[in-house]
Coordinates of all heavy atoms in Angstrom, one line a residue:
M155 N -10.6 27.7 3.4 CA -11.8 27.0 2.9 C -11.5 25.5 2.8 O -12.4 24.7 3.1 CB -12.1 27.6 1.5 CG -12.7 28.9 1.5 SD -12.9 29.5 -0.3 CE -13.2 31.2 0.0
I156 N -10.4 25.1 2.5 CA -10.1 23.7 2.4 C -10.1 23.0 3.7 O -10.7 21.9 3.9 CB -8.7 23.5 1.7 CG1 -8.8 23.9 0.2 CG2 -8.3 22.0 1.8 CD1 -7.5 24.0 -0.5
E157 N -9.7 23.8 4.7 CA -9.8 23.3 6.1 C -11.2 23.0 6.5 O -11.6 22.0 7.0 CB -9.2 24.1 7.1 CG -7.6 24.2 7.2 CD -7.1 24.8 8.5 OE1 -7.9 25.2 9.4 OE2 -5.9 24.7 8.7
E158 N -12.1 24.0 6.1 CA -13.5 23.9 6.4 C -14.1 22.7 5.7 O -15.0 21.9 6.2 CB -14.2 25.2 6.2 CG -13.7 26.3 7.1 CD -13.9 26.0 8.6 OE1 -15.0 25.5 9.0 OE2 -12.8 26.1 9.3
I159 N -13.8 22.6 4.4 CA -14.3 21.5 3.6 C -14.0 20.1 4.1 O -14.8 19.3 4.3 CB -13.8 21.6 2.1 CG1 -14.4 22.9 1.4 CG2 -14.0 20.3 1.3 CD1 -13.7 23.2 0.1
L160 N -12.7 20.0 4.5 CA -12.3 18.7 5.1 C -13.0 18.4 6.4 O -13.3 17.3 6.7 CB -10.7 18.7 5.2 CG -10.0 18.7 3.9 CD1 -8.5 18.9 4.2 CD2 -10.2 17.4 3.1
K161 N -13.2 19.5 7.2 CA -13.9 19.3 8.5 C -15.3 18.8 8.2 O -15.9 17.9 8.9 CB -13.9 20.6 9.3 CG -12.7 21.0 9.9 CD -12.8 22.3 10.6 CE -11.4 22.9 11.1 NZ -11.5 24.3 11.5
D162 N -16.0 19.4 7.2 CA -17.3 19.0 6.8 C -17.4 17.6 6.3 O -18.4 16.8 6.5 CB -17.9 20.0 5.8 CG -18.3 21.3 6.4 OD1 -18.4 21.4 7.7 OD2 -18.4 22.3 5.6
I163 N -16.4 17.2 5.5 CA -16.3 15.8 5.0 C -16.3 14.8 6.2 O -17.0 13.8 6.3 CB -15.2 15.6 4.1 CG1 -15.4 16.4 2.7 CG2 -14.9 14.1 3.8 CD1 -14.2 16.4 1.8
A164 N -15.4 15.2 7.1 CA -15.2 14.3 8.3 C -16.5 14.2 9.1 O -17.0 13.1 9.6 CB -14.1 14.7 9.2
A165 N -17.2 15.3 9.2 CA -18.5 15.4 10.0 C -19.6 14.5 9.2 O -20.5 14.0 9.9 CB -19.0 16.8 10.2
S166 N -19.5 14.4 7.9 CA -20.5 13.7 7.2 C -20.2 12.2 7.1 O -21.1 11.4 6.8 CB -20.5 14.3 5.7 OG -19.4 13.8 5.0
D167 N -19.0 11.8 7.4 CA -18.6 10.4 7.2 C -17.6 10.1 8.2 O -16.4 10.5 8.1 CB -18.1 10.2 5.8 CG -17.7 8.8 5.5 OD1 -17.5 8.0 6.5 OD2 -17.4 8.4 4.3
D168 N -17.9 9.3 9.2 CA -17.0 9.1 10.4 C -15.8 8.1 10.0 O -15.1 7.8 10.9 CB -17.7 8.7 11.6 CG -18.5 7.4 11.4 OD1 -18.2 6.6 10.4 OD2 -19.3 7.1 12.3
E169 N -15.8 7.7 8.7 CA -14.7 6.9 8.3 C -13.4 7.6 8.0 O -12.3 7.1 7.9 CB -15.1 5.9 7.2 CG -16.1 4.9 7.5 CD -16.4 4.1 6.3 OE1 -15.8 4.3 5.2 OE2 -17.4 3.2 6.5
W170 N -13.6 8.9 7.8 CA -12.5 9.8 7.3 C -11.5 10.1 8.5 O -11.9 10.4 9.6 CB -13.0 11.1 6.7 CG -13.4 11.0 5.3 CD1 -14.7 10.6 4.9 CD2 -12.7 11.3 4.1 NE1 -14.7 10.6 3.6 CE2 -13.6 11.1 3.0 CE3 -11.4 11.8 3.9 CZ2 -13.1 11.2 1.7 CZ3 -11.0 11.9 2.6 CH2 -11.9 11.7 1.5
S171 N -10.2 10.0 8.2 CA -9.2 10.4 9.1 C -8.4 11.5 8.4 O -7.9 11.4 7.3 CB -8.2 9.3 9.3 OG -8.8 8.3 10.1
I172 N -8.4 12.7 9.1 CA -7.9 13.9 8.4 C -7.0 14.6 9.4 O -7.3 14.9 10.5 CB -9.0 14.9 8.0 CG1 -9.9 14.2 6.9 CG2 -8.5 16.2 7.4 CD1 -11.2 14.9 6.6
V173 N -5.7 15.0 8.9 CA -4.8 15.8 9.7 C -4.5 17.1 9.0 O -4.2 17.1 7.8 CB -3.5 15.1 10.0 CG1 -2.5 16.0 10.7 CG2 -3.7 13.8 10.8
L174 N -4.7 18.2 9.6 CA -4.4 19.6 9.0 C -3.1 20.0 9.6 O -3.0 20.2 10.8 CB -5.5 20.5 9.3 CG -7.0 20.1 9.0 CD1 -8.0 21.1 9.4 CD2 -7.1 19.8 7.5
L175 N -2.1 20.2 8.8 CA -0.8 20.7 9.3 C -0.6 22.2 8.9 O -0.6 22.5 7.7 CB 0.3 19.9 8.7 CG 0.4 18.4 9.1 CD1 1.5 17.6 8.4 CD2 0.4 18.2 10.6
R176 N -0.5 23.0 9.9 CA -0.4 24.5 9.7 C 1.1 24.8 9.7 O 1.7 24.9 10.8 CB -1.2 25.2 10.8 CG -2.7 25.0 10.6 CD -3.5 25.7 11.6 NE -5.0 25.5 11.4 CZ -5.9 25.8 12.3 NH1 -5.6 26.2 13.5 NH2 -7.2 25.6 11.9
Y177 N 1.6 25.1 8.5 CA 3.0 25.4 8.4 C 3.3 26.8 8.8 O 2.5 27.7 8.4 CB 3.5 25.2 6.9 CG 3.3 23.9 6.3 CD1 3.4 23.9 4.9 CD2 3.0 22.7 7.0 CE1 3.2 22.7 4.2 CE2 2.8 21.5 6.3 CZ 2.9 21.5 4.9 OH 2.6 20.4 4.3
F178 N 4.5 27.1 9.4 CA 4.9 28.5 9.6 C 5.8 28.8 8.4 O 5.3 28.8 7.2 CB 5.4 28.6 11.0 CG 4.2 28.7 11.9 CD1 3.5 27.6 12.2 CD2 3.8 29.9 12.5 CE1 2.3 27.7 13.0 CE2 2.7 30.0 13.3 CZ 2.0 28.9 13.6
N179 N 7.1 29.1 8.6 CA 7.8 29.6 7.5 C 8.9 28.5 7.1 O 10.0 28.6 7.6 CB 8.4 30.9 7.7 CG 7.4 32.0 7.7 OD1 6.5 32.0 8.6 ND2 7.5 32.9 6.7
P180 N 8.6 27.7 6.2 CA 9.6 26.6 5.8 C 10.7 27.2 5.0 O 10.5 27.9 4.0 CB 8.8 25.6 4.9 CG 7.4 26.1 5.0 CD 7.4 27.6 5.3
I181 N 12.0 26.9 5.4 CA 13.2 27.3 4.7 C 14.2 26.2 4.9 O 14.0 25.2 5.5 CB 13.8 28.6 5.2 CG1 14.2 28.5 6.7 CG2 12.8 29.8 5.0 CD1 15.0 29.8 7.2
G182 N 15.4 26.3 4.2 CA 16.5 25.3 4.3 C 16.4 24.4 3.1 O 15.7 24.6 2.1
A183 N 17.1 23.3 3.2 CA 17.2 22.3 2.1 C 17.8 21.0 2.7 O 18.4 21.0 3.8 CB 18.1 22.9 1.0
H184 N 17.7 19.9 1.9 CA 18.3 18.7 2.3 C 19.8 18.9 2.4 O 20.4 19.6 1.6 CB 18.0 17.6 1.2 CG 18.4 16.3 1.6 ND1 19.6 15.8 1.2 CD2 17.8 15.3 2.3 CE1 19.7 14.5 1.6 NE2 18.6 14.2 2.3
E185 N 20.4 18.2 3.4 CA 21.9 18.6 3.6 C 22.8 18.2 2.4 O 23.9 18.6 2.4 CB 22.3 17.7 4.9 CG 22.1 16.2 4.8 CD 22.4 15.5 6.0 OE1 22.7 16.1 7.1 OE2 22.4 14.2 6.0
S186 N 22.3 17.3 1.5 CA 23.1 17.0 0.4 C 23.3 18.2 -0.6 O 24.2 18.2 -1.4 CB 22.4 15.9 -0.4 OG 21.2 16.3 -0.9
G187 N 22.4 19.1 -0.5 CA 22.4 20.2 -1.5 C 21.8 19.9 -2.8 O 21.9 20.6 -3.8
R188 N 21.2 18.7 -3.0 CA 20.8 18.2 -4.3 C 19.3 18.6 -4.5 O 18.9 18.6 -5.6 CB 20.9 16.6 -4.3 CG 22.3 16.2 -4.3 CD 23.0 16.5 -5.6 NE 22.6 15.8 -6.7 CZ 22.7 16.2 -8.0 NH1 23.3 17.4 -8.2 NH2 22.3 15.5 -9.0
I189 N 18.5 18.8 -3.4 CA 17.2 19.4 -3.6 C 17.0 20.6 -2.7 O 17.7 20.7 -1.7 CB 16.1 18.3 -3.3 CG1 16.2 17.8 -1.8 CG2 16.1 17.2 -4.3 CD1 15.1 16.8 -1.5
G190 N 16.1 21.5 -3.2 CA 15.9 22.8 -2.4 C 14.8 23.6 -3.0 O 14.1 23.1 -3.9
E191 N 14.7 24.8 -2.5 CA 13.6 25.7 -2.9 C 14.0 26.3 -4.3 O 15.0 26.9 -4.4 CB 13.4 26.8 -1.9 CG 12.1 27.5 -2.1 CD 11.7 28.3 -0.8 OE1 12.5 28.4 0.1 OE2 10.6 28.9 -0.8
N192 N 13.1 26.2 -5.2 CA 13.4 26.6 -6.5 C 12.2 27.4 -7.2 O 11.5 26.9 -8.1 CB 13.6 25.3 -7.4 CG 14.0 25.5 -8.8 OD1 15.0 26.3 -9.1 ND2 13.4 24.9 -9.8
P193 N 11.9 28.5 -6.7 CA 10.8 29.3 -7.1 C 10.9 29.8 -8.5 O 12.0 30.0 -9.0 CB 10.7 30.5 -6.1 CG 12.1 30.7 -5.7 CD 12.8 29.3 -5.7
N194 N 9.8 29.8 -9.3 CA 9.8 30.4 -10.6 C 9.9 32.0 -10.5 O 9.3 32.6 -9.6 CB 8.4 30.1 -11.3 CG 8.3 28.6 -11.6 OD1 9.3 27.9 -11.7 ND2 7.1 28.1 -11.6
G195 N 10.7 32.6 -11.4 CA 10.7 34.0 -11.4 C 11.2 34.7 -10.1 O 12.1 34.1 -9.5
I196 N 10.8 35.9 -9.9 CA 11.3 36.6 -8.7 C 10.7 36.0 -7.4 O 9.5 35.9 -7.2 CB 10.9 38.1 -8.8 CG1 11.5 38.7 -10.1 CG2 11.4 38.9 -7.5 CD1 11.0 40.1 -10.3
P197 N 11.6 35.6 -6.5 CA 11.1 34.9 -5.3 C 10.2 35.9 -4.4 O 10.6 37.1 -4.3 CB 12.3 34.5 -4.5 CG 13.5 34.6 -5.5 CD 13.1 35.6 -6.5
N198 N 9.1 35.3 -4.0 CA 8.2 36.1 -3.1 C 8.7 36.0 -1.6 O 8.6 36.9 -0.9 CB 6.8 35.5 -3.0 CG 6.1 35.6 -4.4 OD1 5.9 36.6 -4.9 ND2 5.9 34.4 -5.0
N199 N 9.3 34.8 -1.4 CA 9.7 34.6 0.1 C 11.1 35.0 0.4 O 12.0 35.1 -0.5 CB 9.4 33.1 0.4 CG 8.0 32.7 0.3 OD1 7.7 31.7 -0.3 ND2 7.1 33.5 0.9
L200 N 11.3 35.2 1.7 CA 12.6 35.8 2.2 C 13.9 34.9 1.8 O 14.8 35.5 1.1 CB 12.6 36.0 3.7 CG 13.9 36.6 4.3 CD1 14.1 37.9 3.8 CD2 13.8 36.5 5.8

Side-chain angles (χ1 to χ4, degrees):
M155 287 178 192
I156 294 166
E157 286 201 357
E158 294 305 309
I159 288 166
L160 292 172
K161 288 175 190 172
D162 286 341
I163 290 173
S166 73
D167 176 349
D168 61 11
E169 290 181 4
W170 281 82
S171 293
I172 298 172
V173 175
L174 309 177
L175 297 179
R176 292 174 178 167
Y177 305 163
F178 282 73
N179 289 65
I181 62 172
H184 188 267
E185 60 186 4
S186 64
R188 295 292 289 156
I189 57 175
E191 193 165 9
N192 184 50
N194 293 334
I196 301 172
N198 299 293
N199 296 132
L200 179 65

